[in-house]
Amino acid sequence: MSIKAFLFDLDGVIVDTAIYHYQAWRRLANELGFDISGEFNEGLKGVSRMESLDLILAHGGLTLPDEKKIELAEQKNGWYLELVSRMTSDDILPGVATFFSQVRKAGLQTALGSVSKNAPLILERIGMTNAFDAIIDGTKISKGKPDPEVFLKGAAELEVSPAECVVFEDAVAGVEAGKRGGMFVVGLGLPEMLTKADLVVPSLDNLTVDEVLEKAN
Ligand code: B16
Ligand code: MG
């Protein structure tokens, strides 16, 4: 079976919105009387909004009723939206544009696999909506990463099998989601952190499509 499609995570792969999620969650934690570290934030990457809030509240030793949690999640999202609404194509991470033009030349299909409900808005802000043949975001799934749902839906929408897909992920939960989905996973980041990935590189910058296909096929 040969590779037919590349599935991309959004935060940390195409753009660095993880920093904005962190800033907004940290602001919320601070208002609740505690702090979260950058290391703690690593565990929130790829995790859905409500699951992230549960992890944060547990970290701060708080138990709150559901209505309050919904209110807090909305507050965090408002702060996050303020930050991402200022994004432009200048925020696209280095190497992404070159990599995508190689993907097109190679005749591969592309899908976005993000658990963020804000993914379509971000793609619009950075002018990349048309770069994807399928867009799976938080409104189309019921389970966040590490569940493979987001990537399996991407493959299904492109009408390819999981074994014909390569996933690009920067988060531990996202790498696990791709592996659980039966896909070849390229981890973007540190090998000591993304231990389950089939291949780990620092970012899409300087990575070539041929290099990926050689390893994945
Ligand atoms: P939202 P990804 C994920 O996106 C983020 O990594 C994670 O930090 C965030 O909580 C989640 O989206 C939900 O985002 O609150 O915007 O719906 O990494 O799957 O692209
Ligand atoms: Mg990510």
Side-chain angles (χ1 to χ4, degrees), residues 9-11 21 44 46-47 49 52 114-118 145:
D9 167 46
L10 178 65
D11 295 339
H21 279 296
L44 302 180
V47 177
R49 195 181 307 169
S52 299
S114 168
V115 308
S116 173
K117 292 188 168 129
N118 298 308
K145 298 164 187 171

Side-chain angles (χ1 to χ4, degrees), residues 134-148:
I135 294 176
I136 310 298
D137 63 49
T139 64
K140 294 188 179 171
I141 52 157
S142 59
K143 288 170 244 141
K145 298 164 187 171
D147 192 279

